[in-house]
Amino acid sequence: FYVMCLNPIQLFGLWNEGYALDTHVISSIPVGEDVYGNMQFDTQRSQIGELMFGLKYRGMLGNLSKIMELISPFLLKWSALKTIDAIMPVPPTNQNRAYQPVYELALEISKVLGKSYFDGILFKTSFSQSKQLGDSDKQQISGTIGKAKMATKRHNMLLVDDIYDSGATVQECVKVLKADPKVENIYLLTMTKTKG
């Protein structure tokens, strides 16, 4: 018997309302070094964290449908999503992946909600890994997100990301979107959140 569970965490920032659907890692215990001297960890992830890890880092493409099965009840219950007009992924840091999980997730979410999906509107102008930045380096993210075109009519948006860490990249995306007078409310959904 497979119990599906999420533990949504509210995220606060420049957006109107946002959630991470669970923590990414529950615990990570060092278990000793491998033959190359690299520390190995016994890592326990949340249910969605494990599915995301497999999808993003192990090429387990079948995990996408499992993730959608897990998150669809939340999507349909979140009343703010009834007001959105468009769904957009946060641009991925690693542009070289043949398969971009964040694009696939945003596209599947748009199908569940029956809303328009747009990618290629937001893009990265710099590829520094925000997940590895300390607080003093967050300013480096400023100006690293560009926008390809302006909205042609007023709308509310859902921004989708896979893992929420410092929040710096997402804040920058929201700043860029809010500079468009036709973008009204912005909501944020991330699959997981790191513990930090």
Side-chain angles (χ1 to χ4, degrees):
F1 181 63
Y2 189 58
V3 178
M4 295 197 297
C5 64
L6 292 172
N7 299 290
I9 303 151
Q10 192 159 8
L11 301 173
F12 298 95
L14 298 173
W15 45 88
N16 295 72
E17 195 180 340
Y19 291 95
L21 293 175
D22 213 329
T23 56
H24 193 70
V25 170
I26 296 166
S27 68
S28 191
I29 300 159
V31 291
E33 295 180 351
D34 64 12
V35 294
Y36 303 105
N38 299 315
M39 183 55 74
Q40 300 300 294
F41 294 87
D42 176 16
T43 301
Q44 302 294 318
R45 296 179 187 86
S46 64
Q47 189 175 12
I48 192 167
E50 194 60 48
L51 289 168
M52 276 306 308
F53 179 80
L55 178 66
K56 189 167 181 170
Y57 301 109
R58 297 288 181 266
M60 298 165 72
L61 306 189
N63 282 11
L64 182 62
S65 61
K66 293 175 188 167
I67 291 167
M68 292 314 300
E69 189 183 346
L70 185 58
I71 73 172
S72 289
F74 178 88
L75 296 173
L76 298 170
K77 218 164 44 180
W78 185 7
S79 58
L81 299 191
K82 293 179 175 55
T83 70
I84 62 164
D85 307 291
I87 295 170
M88 191 179 289
V90 169
T93 300
N94 181 352
Q95 297 286 312
N96 299 323
R97 274 195 190 101
Y99 180 90
Q100 294 289 4
V102 70
Y103 289 174
E104 301 302 324
L105 285 162
L107 179 59
E108 291 304 312
I109 289 167
S110 74
K111 291 175 188 172
V112 169
L113 297 174
K115 308 290 182 177
S116 300
Y117 166 78
F118 297 98
D119 65 19
I121 306 285
L122 294 176
F123 59 89
K124 286 215 167 181
T125 58
S126 161
F127 296 98
S128 61
Q129 177 63 278
S130 64
K131 291 174 174 55
Q132 294 160 357
L133 297 178
D135 284 337
S136 60
D137 302 317
K138 298 283 167 58
Q139 295 83 346
Q140 291 178 5
I141 296 294
S142 188
T144 60
I145 301 289
K147 188 160 180 276
K149 51 185 158 186
M150 301 292 275
T152 53
K153 59 183 182 190
R154 294 196 171 282
H155 58 268
N156 299 326
M157 312 209 52
L158 174 65
L159 204 51
V160 173
D161 205 357
D162 46 15
I163 301 172
Y164 182 94
D165 195 318
S166 69
T169 300
V170 179
Q171 296 271 20
E172 190 63 20
C173 288
V174 174
K175 231 185 273 182
V176 168
L177 288 170
K178 279 185 178 276
D180 187 329
K182 291 205 164 121
V183 173
E184 295 188 332
N185 297 323
I186 300 171
Y187 300 95
L188 171 66
L189 180 69
T190 76
M191 300 303 105
T192 61
K193 177 186 183 300
T194 59
K195 286 237 168 163

Short mmCIF file of all heavy atoms in Angstrom, two decimals, residues 50-114:
data_model
loop_
_atom_site.label_atom_id
_atom_site.label_comp_id
_atom_site.label_asym_id
_atom_site.label_seq_id
_atom_site.Cartn_x
_atom_site.Cartn_y
_atom_site.Cartn_z
N GLU A 50 12.66 12.36 -3.32
CA GLU A 50 13.24 11.16 -3.94
C GLU A 50 12.85 11.09 -5.42
O GLU A 50 13.68 10.78 -6.29
CB GLU A 50 12.75 9.92 -3.19
CG GLU A 50 13.52 8.65 -3.51
CD GLU A 50 15.01 8.71 -3.19
OE1 GLU A 50 15.40 9.14 -2.09
OE2 GLU A 50 15.79 8.34 -4.10
N LEU A 51 11.59 11.38 -5.71
CA LEU A 51 11.13 11.36 -7.11
C LEU A 51 11.85 12.43 -7.94
O LEU A 51 12.26 12.18 -9.07
CB LEU A 51 9.61 11.56 -7.17
CG LEU A 51 8.75 10.39 -6.67
CD1 LEU A 51 7.31 10.82 -6.51
CD2 LEU A 51 8.85 9.19 -7.61
N MET A 52 12.00 13.63 -7.35
CA MET A 52 12.69 14.72 -8.06
C MET A 52 14.16 14.39 -8.28
O MET A 52 14.71 14.66 -9.34
CB MET A 52 12.58 16.03 -7.27
CG MET A 52 11.31 16.81 -7.48
SD MET A 52 10.94 17.19 -9.21
CE MET A 52 12.45 17.93 -9.78
N PHE A 53 14.80 13.80 -7.27
CA PHE A 53 16.21 13.41 -7.38
C PHE A 53 16.39 12.43 -8.55
O PHE A 53 17.28 12.58 -9.38
CB PHE A 53 16.70 12.79 -6.07
CG PHE A 53 18.13 12.35 -6.11
CD1 PHE A 53 19.15 13.27 -5.95
CD2 PHE A 53 18.45 11.01 -6.32
CE1 PHE A 53 20.49 12.86 -6.00
CE2 PHE A 53 19.78 10.60 -6.37
CZ PHE A 53 20.80 11.53 -6.21
N GLY A 54 15.51 11.44 -8.61
CA GLY A 54 15.58 10.46 -9.69
C GLY A 54 15.36 11.09 -11.06
O GLY A 54 16.06 10.80 -12.03
N LEU A 55 14.38 11.99 -11.13
CA LEU A 55 14.05 12.66 -12.40
C LEU A 55 15.18 13.57 -12.86
O LEU A 55 15.61 13.53 -14.01
CB LEU A 55 12.76 13.47 -12.23
CG LEU A 55 12.29 14.28 -13.44
CD1 LEU A 55 11.88 13.37 -14.59
CD2 LEU A 55 11.13 15.20 -13.06
N LYS A 56 15.69 14.38 -11.92
CA LYS A 56 16.65 15.43 -12.29
C LYS A 56 18.07 14.90 -12.45
O LYS A 56 18.79 15.33 -13.35
CB LYS A 56 16.62 16.52 -11.22
CG LYS A 56 17.43 17.76 -11.59
CD LYS A 56 17.12 18.92 -10.67
CE LYS A 56 17.92 20.15 -11.09
NZ LYS A 56 17.52 21.35 -10.40
N TYR A 57 18.49 13.97 -11.58
CA TYR A 57 19.89 13.56 -11.57
C TYR A 57 20.14 12.13 -12.04
O TYR A 57 21.28 11.75 -12.26
CB TYR A 57 20.47 13.74 -10.16
CG TYR A 57 20.39 15.17 -9.69
CD1 TYR A 57 19.51 15.54 -8.69
CD2 TYR A 57 21.18 16.17 -10.27
CE1 TYR A 57 19.42 16.85 -8.25
CE2 TYR A 57 21.09 17.48 -9.86
CZ TYR A 57 20.21 17.83 -8.84
OH TYR A 57 20.12 19.13 -8.43
N ARG A 58 19.10 11.33 -12.18
CA ARG A 58 19.30 9.93 -12.57
C ARG A 58 18.58 9.57 -13.87
O ARG A 58 18.55 8.43 -14.28
CB ARG A 58 18.81 8.98 -11.46
CG ARG A 58 19.59 9.11 -10.15
CD ARG A 58 20.99 8.53 -10.29
NE ARG A 58 21.76 8.61 -9.05
CZ ARG A 58 22.59 9.58 -8.73
NH1 ARG A 58 22.78 10.59 -9.57
NH2 ARG A 58 23.26 9.56 -7.60
N GLY A 59 17.94 10.57 -14.49
CA GLY A 59 17.28 10.32 -15.78
C GLY A 59 16.08 9.39 -15.70
O GLY A 59 15.73 8.74 -16.68
N MET A 60 15.46 9.33 -14.52
CA MET A 60 14.29 8.44 -14.35
C MET A 60 13.03 9.19 -14.82
O MET A 60 12.29 9.76 -14.03
CB MET A 60 14.19 8.01 -12.89
CG MET A 60 15.41 7.20 -12.44
SD MET A 60 15.55 7.02 -10.65
CE MET A 60 14.21 5.87 -10.33
N LEU A 61 12.82 9.19 -16.14
CA LEU A 61 11.76 10.00 -16.74
C LEU A 61 10.37 9.55 -16.32
O LEU A 61 9.42 10.33 -16.32
CB LEU A 61 11.89 10.01 -18.26
CG LEU A 61 13.27 10.44 -18.82
CD1 LEU A 61 13.21 10.62 -20.32
CD2 LEU A 61 13.78 11.70 -18.16
N GLY A 62 10.24 8.28 -15.95
CA GLY A 62 8.95 7.77 -15.48
C GLY A 62 8.49 8.43 -14.19
O GLY A 62 7.31 8.37 -13.83
N ASN A 63 9.42 9.09 -13.48
CA ASN A 63 9.06 9.75 -12.22
C ASN A 63 8.14 10.95 -12.45
O ASN A 63 7.43 11.37 -11.53
CB ASN A 63 10.32 10.21 -11.47
CG ASN A 63 10.99 9.08 -10.74
OD1 ASN A 63 10.66 7.91 -10.94
ND2 ASN A 63 11.96 9.40 -9.89
N LEU A 64 8.16 11.51 -13.66
CA LEU A 64 7.33 12.70 -13.93
C LEU A 64 5.85 12.40 -13.67
O LEU A 64 5.16 13.17 -13.00
CB LEU A 64 7.54 13.20 -15.36
CG LEU A 64 6.75 14.45 -15.75
CD1 LEU A 64 7.14 15.66 -14.89
CD2 LEU A 64 6.95 14.78 -17.23
N SER A 65 5.36 11.26 -14.17
CA SER A 65 3.94 10.94 -13.99
C SER A 65 3.63 10.67 -12.51
O SER A 65 2.56 11.01 -12.03
CB SER A 65 3.53 9.75 -14.86
OG SER A 65 4.29 8.61 -14.51
N LYS A 66 4.61 10.09 -11.78
CA LYS A 66 4.40 9.85 -10.34
C LYS A 66 4.33 11.17 -9.58
O LYS A 66 3.53 11.33 -8.66
CB LYS A 66 5.54 8.98 -9.78
CG LYS A 66 5.55 7.56 -10.33
CD LYS A 66 6.76 6.80 -9.83
CE LYS A 66 6.87 5.45 -10.53
NZ LYS A 66 8.16 4.82 -10.30
N ILE A 67 5.19 12.11 -9.97
CA ILE A 67 5.17 13.44 -9.34
C ILE A 67 3.83 14.11 -9.59
O ILE A 67 3.21 14.67 -8.68
CB ILE A 67 6.34 14.32 -9.85
CG1 ILE A 67 7.68 13.76 -9.34
CG2 ILE A 67 6.16 15.78 -9.44
CD1 ILE A 67 8.91 14.34 -10.02
N MET A 68 3.35 14.03 -10.82
CA MET A 68 2.08 14.68 -11.16
C MET A 68 0.92 14.05 -10.39
O MET A 68 0.01 14.75 -9.94
CB MET A 68 1.83 14.62 -12.67
CG MET A 68 2.79 15.48 -13.49
SD MET A 68 3.04 17.16 -12.84
CE MET A 68 1.36 17.79 -12.93
N GLU A 69 0.96 12.74 -10.23
CA GLU A 69 -0.08 12.05 -9.46
C GLU A 69 -0.06 12.53 -8.00
O GLU A 69 -1.10 12.76 -7.38
CB GLU A 69 0.17 10.54 -9.52
CG GLU A 69 -0.96 9.71 -8.94
CD GLU A 69 -0.65 8.22 -8.95
OE1 GLU A 69 0.31 7.80 -9.64
OE2 GLU A 69 -1.36 7.49 -8.24
N LEU A 70 1.14 12.74 -7.49
CA LEU A 70 1.33 13.17 -6.11
C LEU A 70 0.87 14.61 -5.89
O LEU A 70 0.24 14.94 -4.88
CB LEU A 70 2.82 13.02 -5.76
CG LEU A 70 3.28 13.30 -4.34
CD1 LEU A 70 2.57 12.40 -3.33
CD2 LEU A 70 4.80 13.09 -4.24
N ILE A 71 1.17 15.51 -6.86
CA ILE A 71 0.90 16.94 -6.63
C ILE A 71 -0.45 17.43 -7.15
O ILE A 71 -0.90 18.50 -6.75
CB ILE A 71 2.03 17.82 -7.21
CG1 ILE A 71 2.00 17.88 -8.75
CG2 ILE A 71 3.39 17.36 -6.71
CD1 ILE A 71 2.97 18.88 -9.36
N SER A 72 -1.10 16.67 -8.04
CA SER A 72 -2.36 17.15 -8.64
C SER A 72 -3.43 17.52 -7.61
O SER A 72 -4.07 18.57 -7.76
CB SER A 72 -2.90 16.14 -9.64
OG SER A 72 -2.07 16.13 -10.78
N PRO A 73 -3.64 16.74 -6.53
CA PRO A 73 -4.66 17.14 -5.55
C PRO A 73 -4.37 18.52 -4.93
O PRO A 73 -5.27 19.32 -4.73
CB PRO A 73 -4.61 16.03 -4.48
CG PRO A 73 -4.07 14.84 -5.22
CD PRO A 73 -3.11 15.40 -6.22
N PHE A 74 -3.07 18.80 -4.68
CA PHE A 74 -2.70 20.12 -4.14
C PHE A 74 -3.00 21.22 -5.16
O PHE A 74 -3.55 22.26 -4.81
CB PHE A 74 -1.22 20.14 -3.75
CG PHE A 74 -0.77 21.49 -3.22
CD1 PHE A 74 -0.88 21.78 -1.88
CD2 PHE A 74 -0.26 22.45 -4.08
CE1 PHE A 74 -0.49 23.03 -1.39
CE2 PHE A 74 0.13 23.70 -3.61
CZ PHE A 74 0.02 23.99 -2.26
N LEU A 75 -2.65 20.98 -6.41
CA LEU A 75 -2.87 21.99 -7.47
C LEU A 75 -4.35 22.34 -7.57
O LEU A 75 -4.71 23.51 -7.72
CB LEU A 75 -2.39 21.45 -8.82
CG LEU A 75 -0.90 21.16 -8.98
CD1 LEU A 75 -0.64 20.48 -10.31
CD2 LEU A 75 -0.09 22.45 -8.86
N LEU A 76 -5.20 21.33 -7.50
CA LEU A 76 -6.63 21.55 -7.67
C LEU A 76 -7.27 22.17 -6.44
O LEU A 76 -8.34 22.76 -6.52
CB LEU A 76 -7.31 20.23 -8.05
CG LEU A 76 -6.81 19.65 -9.39
CD1 LEU A 76 -7.32 18.24 -9.60
CD2 LEU A 76 -7.19 20.55 -10.57
N LYS A 77 -6.59 22.06 -5.29
CA LYS A 77 -7.13 22.61 -4.04
C LYS A 77 -6.68 24.05 -3.78
O LYS A 77 -7.33 24.78 -3.06
CB LYS A 77 -6.67 21.72 -2.87
CG LYS A 77 -7.74 21.54 -1.82
CD LYS A 77 -7.49 20.39 -0.86
CE LYS A 77 -6.08 20.28 -0.34
NZ LYS A 77 -5.89 19.15 0.57
N TRP A 78 -5.55 24.45 -4.37
CA TRP A 78 -4.99 25.79 -4.14
C TRP A 78 -5.85 26.80 -4.90
O TRP A 78 -5.76 26.92 -6.11
CB TRP A 78 -3.53 25.83 -4.57
CG TRP A 78 -2.80 27.10 -4.28
CD1 TRP A 78 -3.27 28.18 -3.56
CD2 TRP A 78 -1.48 27.45 -4.70
NE1 TRP A 78 -2.31 29.16 -3.52
CE2 TRP A 78 -1.21 28.74 -4.20
CE3 TRP A 78 -0.51 26.79 -5.44
CZ2 TRP A 78 0.01 29.40 -4.43
CZ3 TRP A 78 0.70 27.43 -5.67
CH2 TRP A 78 0.96 28.71 -5.16
N SER A 79 -6.69 27.52 -4.18
CA SER A 79 -7.71 28.37 -4.83
C SER A 79 -7.11 29.47 -5.69
O SER A 79 -7.69 29.87 -6.70
CB SER A 79 -8.67 28.95 -3.79
OG SER A 79 -7.94 29.71 -2.85
N ALA A 80 -5.94 30.00 -5.33
CA ALA A 80 -5.32 31.08 -6.11
C ALA A 80 -5.07 30.65 -7.55
O ALA A 80 -5.10 31.47 -8.47
CB ALA A 80 -4.00 31.51 -5.46
N LEU A 81 -4.84 29.35 -7.76
CA LEU A 81 -4.51 28.88 -9.11
C LEU A 81 -5.71 28.95 -10.06
O LEU A 81 -5.53 28.88 -11.27
CB LEU A 81 -3.94 27.46 -9.07
CG LEU A 81 -2.65 27.29 -8.27
CD1 LEU A 81 -2.04 25.92 -8.51
CD2 LEU A 81 -1.62 28.38 -8.61
N LYS A 82 -6.91 29.12 -9.51
CA LYS A 82 -8.08 29.31 -10.37
C LYS A 82 -8.03 30.67 -11.08
O LYS A 82 -8.68 30.88 -12.08
CB LYS A 82 -9.37 29.18 -9.55
CG LYS A 82 -9.59 27.76 -9.02
CD LYS A 82 -10.87 27.67 -8.18
CE LYS A 82 -11.19 26.25 -7.75
NZ LYS A 82 -10.12 25.58 -7.03
N THR A 83 -7.23 31.60 -10.52
CA THR A 83 -7.18 32.96 -11.07
C THR A 83 -6.03 33.17 -12.06
O THR A 83 -5.91 34.23 -12.64
CB THR A 83 -7.01 34.00 -9.94
OG1 THR A 83 -5.67 33.88 -9.39
CG2 THR A 83 -8.01 33.79 -8.82
N ILE A 84 -5.17 32.15 -12.23
CA ILE A 84 -4.00 32.38 -13.10
C ILE A 84 -4.35 32.19 -14.58
O ILE A 84 -5.30 31.50 -14.92
CB ILE A 84 -2.80 31.48 -12.73
CG1 ILE A 84 -3.16 30.01 -12.91
CG2 ILE A 84 -2.29 31.77 -11.34
CD1 ILE A 84 -1.96 29.10 -12.93
N ASP A 85 -3.56 32.84 -15.42
CA ASP A 85 -3.76 32.76 -16.87
C ASP A 85 -2.62 32.04 -17.56
O ASP A 85 -2.78 31.54 -18.67
CB ASP A 85 -3.85 34.18 -17.46
CG ASP A 85 -4.89 35.01 -16.73
OD1 ASP A 85 -6.08 34.72 -16.88
OD2 ASP A 85 -4.49 35.92 -15.98
N ALA A 86 -1.44 32.02 -16.91
CA ALA A 86 -0.26 31.46 -17.58
C ALA A 86 0.67 30.80 -16.57
O ALA A 86 0.75 31.21 -15.42
CB ALA A 86 0.48 32.58 -18.31
N ILE A 87 1.37 29.78 -17.05
CA ILE A 87 2.34 29.04 -16.24
C ILE A 87 3.69 29.11 -16.94
O ILE A 87 3.79 28.93 -18.15
CB ILE A 87 1.89 27.58 -16.08
CG1 ILE A 87 0.58 27.57 -15.27
CG2 ILE A 87 2.95 26.73 -15.39
CD1 ILE A 87 -0.12 26.25 -15.22
N MET A 88 4.72 29.41 -16.14
CA MET A 88 6.04 29.63 -16.70
C MET A 88 7.10 28.97 -15.82
O MET A 88 7.06 29.12 -14.59
CB MET A 88 6.26 31.15 -16.73
CG MET A 88 7.45 31.62 -17.49
SD MET A 88 7.54 33.43 -17.45
CE MET A 88 6.16 33.87 -18.50
N PRO A 89 8.07 28.25 -16.41
CA PRO A 89 9.15 27.68 -15.60
C PRO A 89 10.22 28.72 -15.29
O PRO A 89 10.45 29.64 -16.07
CB PRO A 89 9.72 26.59 -16.51
CG PRO A 89 9.43 27.06 -17.90
CD PRO A 89 8.18 27.89 -17.83
N VAL A 90 10.88 28.56 -14.13
CA VAL A 90 12.08 29.34 -13.82
C VAL A 90 13.18 28.80 -14.73
O VAL A 90 13.31 27.58 -14.87
CB VAL A 90 12.45 29.16 -12.33
CG1 VAL A 90 13.82 29.73 -12.03
CG2 VAL A 90 11.38 29.80 -11.44
N PRO A 91 13.95 29.66 -15.40
CA PRO A 91 14.99 29.14 -16.31
C PRO A 91 16.01 28.28 -15.55
O PRO A 91 16.47 28.68 -14.49
CB PRO A 91 15.66 30.41 -16.86
CG PRO A 91 14.84 31.55 -16.44
CD PRO A 91 13.94 31.12 -15.33
N PRO A 92 16.33 27.09 -16.08
CA PRO A 92 17.27 26.21 -15.38
C PRO A 92 18.69 26.74 -15.44
O PRO A 92 19.08 27.41 -16.40
CB PRO A 92 17.15 24.89 -16.14
CG PRO A 92 16.62 25.26 -17.48
CD PRO A 92 15.82 26.51 -17.32
N THR A 93 19.46 26.46 -14.39
CA THR A 93 20.87 26.88 -14.34
C THR A 93 21.70 26.07 -15.33
O THR A 93 22.53 26.62 -16.05
CB THR A 93 21.43 26.70 -12.92
OG1 THR A 93 20.64 27.51 -12.05
CG2 THR A 93 22.88 27.13 -12.82
N ASN A 94 21.46 24.76 -15.37
CA ASN A 94 22.22 23.90 -16.29
C ASN A 94 21.46 23.83 -17.63
O ASN A 94 20.51 23.09 -17.78
CB ASN A 94 22.38 22.51 -15.69
CG ASN A 94 23.18 21.58 -16.58
OD1 ASN A 94 23.50 21.92 -17.72
ND2 ASN A 94 23.52 20.41 -16.08
N GLN A 95 21.93 24.62 -18.58
CA GLN A 95 21.27 24.70 -19.89
C GLN A 95 21.62 23.50 -20.78
O GLN A 95 21.05 23.34 -21.84
CB GLN A 95 21.69 26.00 -20.60
CG GLN A 95 21.27 27.26 -19.88
CD GLN A 95 19.79 27.53 -20.00
OE1 GLN A 95 19.22 27.48 -21.09
NE2 GLN A 95 19.14 27.84 -18.90
N ASN A 96 22.59 22.69 -20.35
CA ASN A 96 23.09 21.62 -21.22
C ASN A 96 22.35 20.31 -21.07
O ASN A 96 22.65 19.35 -21.78
CB ASN A 96 24.59 21.40 -20.96
CG ASN A 96 25.39 22.65 -21.27
OD1 ASN A 96 25.07 23.36 -22.22
ND2 ASN A 96 26.39 22.94 -20.46
N ARG A 97 21.41 20.24 -20.12
CA ARG A 97 20.65 18.99 -19.98
C ARG A 97 19.77 18.79 -21.20
O ARG A 97 19.06 19.69 -21.61
CB ARG A 97 19.72 19.08 -18.76
CG ARG A 97 20.36 18.69 -17.48
CD ARG A 97 19.30 18.44 -16.41
NE ARG A 97 19.97 18.29 -15.13
CZ ARG A 97 20.06 19.24 -14.23
NH1 ARG A 97 19.49 20.40 -14.44
NH2 ARG A 97 20.70 19.03 -13.10
N ALA A 98 19.79 17.58 -21.75
CA ALA A 98 18.91 17.29 -22.89
C ALA A 98 17.46 17.34 -22.44
O ALA A 98 16.56 17.72 -23.19
CB ALA A 98 19.25 15.92 -23.44
N TYR A 99 17.24 16.98 -21.18
CA TYR A 99 15.89 16.92 -20.62
C TYR A 99 15.84 17.91 -19.47
O TYR A 99 16.62 17.78 -18.52
CB TYR A 99 15.64 15.49 -20.13
CG TYR A 99 14.27 15.26 -19.51
CD1 TYR A 99 13.20 14.87 -20.30
CD2 TYR A 99 14.07 15.42 -18.14
CE1 TYR A 99 11.96 14.63 -19.74
CE2 TYR A 99 12.83 15.18 -17.58
CZ TYR A 99 11.78 14.78 -18.38
OH TYR A 99 10.55 14.55 -17.83
N GLN A 100 14.97 18.90 -19.55
CA GLN A 100 14.87 19.91 -18.49
C GLN A 100 13.66 19.62 -17.62
O GLN A 100 12.52 19.93 -18.01
CB GLN A 100 14.77 21.32 -19.09
CG GLN A 100 16.01 21.78 -19.83
CD GLN A 100 17.19 22.07 -18.88
OE1 GLN A 100 17.11 21.87 -17.68
NE2 GLN A 100 18.28 22.54 -19.45
N PRO A 101 13.85 19.04 -16.43
CA PRO A 101 12.71 18.67 -15.59
C PRO A 101 11.76 19.83 -15.29
O PRO A 101 10.55 19.66 -15.28
CB PRO A 101 13.36 18.17 -14.29
CG PRO A 101 14.73 17.74 -14.69
CD PRO A 101 15.13 18.63 -15.83
N VAL A 102 12.32 21.03 -15.08
CA VAL A 102 11.46 22.16 -14.71
C VAL A 102 10.49 22.52 -15.86
O VAL A 102 9.33 22.87 -15.62
CB VAL A 102 12.29 23.38 -14.22
CG1 VAL A 102 13.06 24.03 -15.34
CG2 VAL A 102 11.40 24.39 -13.51
N TYR A 103 10.94 22.40 -17.11
CA TYR A 103 10.06 22.65 -18.25
C TYR A 103 8.95 21.60 -18.31
O TYR A 103 7.78 21.93 -18.53
CB TYR A 103 10.83 22.62 -19.58
CG TYR A 103 11.77 23.78 -19.82
CD1 TYR A 103 12.62 23.78 -20.91
CD2 TYR A 103 11.82 24.88 -18.95
CE1 TYR A 103 13.50 24.84 -21.16
CE2 TYR A 103 12.69 25.93 -19.19
CZ TYR A 103 13.53 25.91 -20.29
OH TYR A 103 14.38 26.95 -20.52
N GLU A 104 9.36 20.35 -18.12
CA GLU A 104 8.38 19.26 -18.20
C GLU A 104 7.34 19.37 -17.09
O GLU A 104 6.15 19.15 -17.31
CB GLU A 104 9.09 17.90 -18.13
CG GLU A 104 10.11 17.67 -19.24
CD GLU A 104 9.53 17.77 -20.64
OE1 GLU A 104 8.37 17.36 -20.83
OE2 GLU A 104 10.23 18.25 -21.54
N LEU A 105 7.79 19.71 -15.88
CA LEU A 105 6.87 19.88 -14.75
C LEU A 105 5.87 21.00 -15.01
O LEU A 105 4.67 20.83 -14.81
CB LEU A 105 7.66 20.17 -13.46
CG LEU A 105 8.38 18.97 -12.85
CD1 LEU A 105 9.45 19.45 -11.88
CD2 LEU A 105 7.39 18.05 -12.14
N ALA A 106 6.40 22.15 -15.46
CA ALA A 106 5.51 23.30 -15.72
C ALA A 106 4.49 22.97 -16.80
O ALA A 106 3.32 23.33 -16.71
CB ALA A 106 6.33 24.53 -16.10
N LEU A 107 4.93 22.24 -17.83
CA LEU A 107 4.03 21.86 -18.92
C LEU A 107 2.93 20.93 -18.41
O LEU A 107 1.74 21.12 -18.72
CB LEU A 107 4.84 21.18 -20.04
CG LEU A 107 4.04 20.70 -21.25
CD1 LEU A 107 3.30 21.85 -21.92
CD2 LEU A 107 4.96 20.00 -22.25
N GLU A 108 3.31 19.93 -17.60
CA GLU A 108 2.32 19.00 -17.06
C GLU A 108 1.35 19.70 -16.11
O GLU A 108 0.15 19.41 -16.10
CB GLU A 108 3.01 17.83 -16.35
CG GLU A 108 3.77 16.89 -17.28
CD GLU A 108 2.88 16.31 -18.38
OE1 GLU A 108 1.78 15.82 -18.08
OE2 GLU A 108 3.29 16.36 -19.56
N ILE A 109 1.85 20.64 -15.32
CA ILE A 109 0.99 21.42 -14.41
C ILE A 109 -0.01 22.24 -15.22
O ILE A 109 -1.18 22.33 -14.86
CB ILE A 109 1.85 22.31 -13.48
CG1 ILE A 109 2.58 21.43 -12.46
CG2 ILE A 109 1.00 23.37 -12.77
CD1 ILE A 109 3.69 22.13 -11.68
N SER A 110 0.44 22.79 -16.35
CA SER A 110 -0.47 23.58 -17.20
C SER A 110 -1.60 22.70 -17.73
O SER A 110 -2.74 23.15 -17.86
CB SER A 110 0.28 24.26 -18.35
OG SER A 110 0.64 23.32 -19.35
N LYS A 111 -1.30 21.43 -18.01
CA LYS A 111 -2.33 20.51 -18.51
C LYS A 111 -3.35 20.20 -17.41
O LYS A 111 -4.55 20.18 -17.66
CB LYS A 111 -1.69 19.21 -19.01
CG LYS A 111 -0.87 19.38 -20.28
CD LYS A 111 -0.19 18.06 -20.63
CE LYS A 111 0.80 18.23 -21.77
NZ LYS A 111 1.59 17.00 -21.99
N VAL A 112 -2.85 19.95 -16.19
CA VAL A 112 -3.75 19.65 -15.07
C VAL A 112 -4.68 20.83 -14.81
O VAL A 112 -5.88 20.66 -14.57
CB VAL A 112 -2.93 19.33 -13.78
CG1 VAL A 112 -3.83 19.28 -12.55
CG2 VAL A 112 -2.20 18.00 -13.95
N LEU A 113 -4.13 22.05 -14.89
CA LEU A 113 -4.93 23.25 -14.57
C LEU A 113 -5.68 23.81 -15.77
O LEU A 113 -6.52 24.70 -15.62
CB LEU A 113 -4.03 24.33 -13.97
CG LEU A 113 -3.36 23.96 -12.63
CD1 LEU A 113 -2.37 25.04 -12.22
CD2 LEU A 113 -4.41 23.75 -11.53
N GLY A 114 -5.36 23.31 -16.96
CA GLY A 114 -6.01 23.82 -18.17
C GLY A 114 -5.64 25.27 -18.46
O GLY A 114 -6.46 26.07 -18.89
#
